[in-house]
Amino acid sequence: MIVSLGFTIQSHSYHQSRFFNSSNWITGNILETSNEVSTYFGLDTENQKLMQENKNLRKLLFNRKELDTIVLDSVQLTYTITTGKVIKNSFADPRNYITIDQGSRDSVAPDMGVITSKGILGIIENTSKNFATVQSILNEKSNINAKIKNTDHFGSLVWDTKRYNVVQLVDIPRLVPLTIGDTIVTGGMSSIFPENIPIGTIRKFDLNTSQSFYTIDVALFNDMTNIKNVYIIDNSYREEILKLEKLTETNGQ
């Protein structure tokens, strides 16, 4: 049957055309499938390239003041950045922690800031040689300096432990005009995070007549249930700042 089919195809142009069209269709689908498989398994490599590019861009962004008049490699920058991946994430407990695959071997240390491409995530609390735990912003102990974007109105970002997608901004004076949807970002009073890293938007705010400060619900930009890639931020001058502040406090006593 195979031999007869071969003779039939060779002796009739119509059959030849149909045969080669079918062969091309099969070959094309095989190549397409093969390419899709190769692309899929190459996504991790491409993702790492994008993470590296984003890291370099964020390095430029966070240090833009120093870069106004100098070349990147000619000075010690205020902020350095390391990339990492989340290997464990909790978001349903009063004190949530995130474990990442970067540790002391990678120059990661406690009190470094951790963010994603969408916004703030937390602060490094403990490290081992190869890993680190991050105190999530979804932690009742978390307290981070934050402000209303494009203003100088600062407050503290805390969490009431009720919802995994909403945190609270407190200590904003009642005289400050607020609007639902206003963006909340990191403030400039922190030695951990650069200023103006996104956090979320105002979801609602409350103020009793007897109160002097707002309690603001902030809807997070990050989906805290689905975190994979992170950036770890190190303030090169943090230790110097803390020593100076401690010395000032000691001399003032």
Side-chain angles (χ1 to χ4, degrees):
M1 289 180 66
I2 295 174
V3 173
S4 299
L5 181 61
F7 282 131
T8 301
I9 292 172
Q10 289 181 355
S11 59
H12 295 81
S13 59
Y14 172 77
H15 291 85
Q16 288 179 4
S17 175
R18 297 295 294 177
F19 173 77
F20 286 115
N21 284 339
S22 298
S23 298
N24 290 336
W25 180 83
I26 293 171
T27 303
N29 276 274
I30 292 174
L31 290 174
E32 182 179 8
T33 302
S34 175
N35 181 65
E36 289 177 353
V37 172
S38 298
T39 300
Y40 175 80
F41 285 105
L43 285 177
D44 186 62
T45 300
E46 291 301 316
N47 187 54
Q48 291 302 314
K49 291 180 181 178
L50 289 174
M51 285 287 289
Q52 183 63 37
E53 291 176 4
N54 286 336
K55 183 183 81 169
N56 292 335
L57 289 173
R58 289 178 184 279
K59 185 177 181 181
L60 293 171
L61 176 63
F62 297 155
N63 296 283
R64 60 186 181 279
K65 292 181 180 178
E66 290 94 329
L67 298 175
D68 284 342
T69 58
I70 57 175
V71 179
L72 182 62
D73 294 328
S74 65
V75 70
Q76 179 182 355
L77 299 176
T78 301
Y79 297 101
T80 57
I81 301 174
T82 305
T83 59
K85 286 185 178 180
V86 172
I87 60 175
K88 185 178 180 181
N89 177 26
S90 67
F91 50 85
D93 300 320
R95 296 183 180 181
N96 292 296
Y97 290 90
I98 299 163
T99 305
I100 60 175
D101 66 349
Q102 300 291 301
S104 57
R105 182 183 63 175
D106 309 291
S107 300
V108 173
D111 295 326
M112 289 184 178
V114 182
I115 66 172
T116 71
S117 59
K118 293 183 178 181
I120 190 173
L121 189 60
I123 299 173
I124 298 290
E125 184 159 311
N126 296 296
T127 63
S128 64
K129 181 179 179 180
N130 300 297
F131 304 97
T133 53
V134 181
Q135 183 189 89
S136 170
I137 55 174
L138 301 183
N139 189 306
E140 62 184 3
K141 296 171 61 180
S142 177
N143 191 317
I144 296 171
N145 180 253
K147 69 174 186 174
I148 303 166
K149 188 177 181 180
N150 297 325
T151 77
D152 291 322
H153 298 300
F154 296 90
S156 297
L157 194 74
V158 297
W159 188 48
D160 64 6
T161 75
K162 294 179 179 179
R163 286 162 291 185
Y164 67 84
N165 57 348
V166 177
V167 295
Q168 287 66 47
L169 179 61
V170 297
D171 299 332
I172 299 294
R174 62 183 300 169
L175 298 178
V176 176
L178 298 178
T179 304
I180 300 297
D182 282 350
T183 300
I184 305 301
V185 297
T186 53
M189 304 296 178
S190 170
S191 61
I192 296 177
F193 292 102
E195 191 174 5
N196 293 319
I197 296 178
I199 296 173
T201 57
I202 295 179
R203 185 173 181 266
K204 72 171 186 176
F205 51 89
D206 298 315
L207 180 67
N208 296 330
T209 55
S210 61
Q211 293 179 322
S212 300
F213 299 94
Y214 286 108
T215 296
I216 304 169
D217 276 357
V218 180
L220 295 171
F221 288 133
N222 270 322
D223 178 359
M224 298 299 290
T225 68
N226 185 25
I227 304 293
K228 183 177 181 182
N229 297 308
V230 299
Y231 300 95
I232 303 129
I233 304 171
D234 177 26
N235 183 345
S236 303
Y237 298 108
R238 173 176 165 75
E239 185 175 350
E240 180 181 345
I241 293 171
L242 294 179
K243 284 183 178 180
L244 177 62
E245 291 176 348
K246 185 176 181 180
L247 177 62
T248 303
E249 291 175 359
T250 302
N251 291 339
Q253 293 178 354

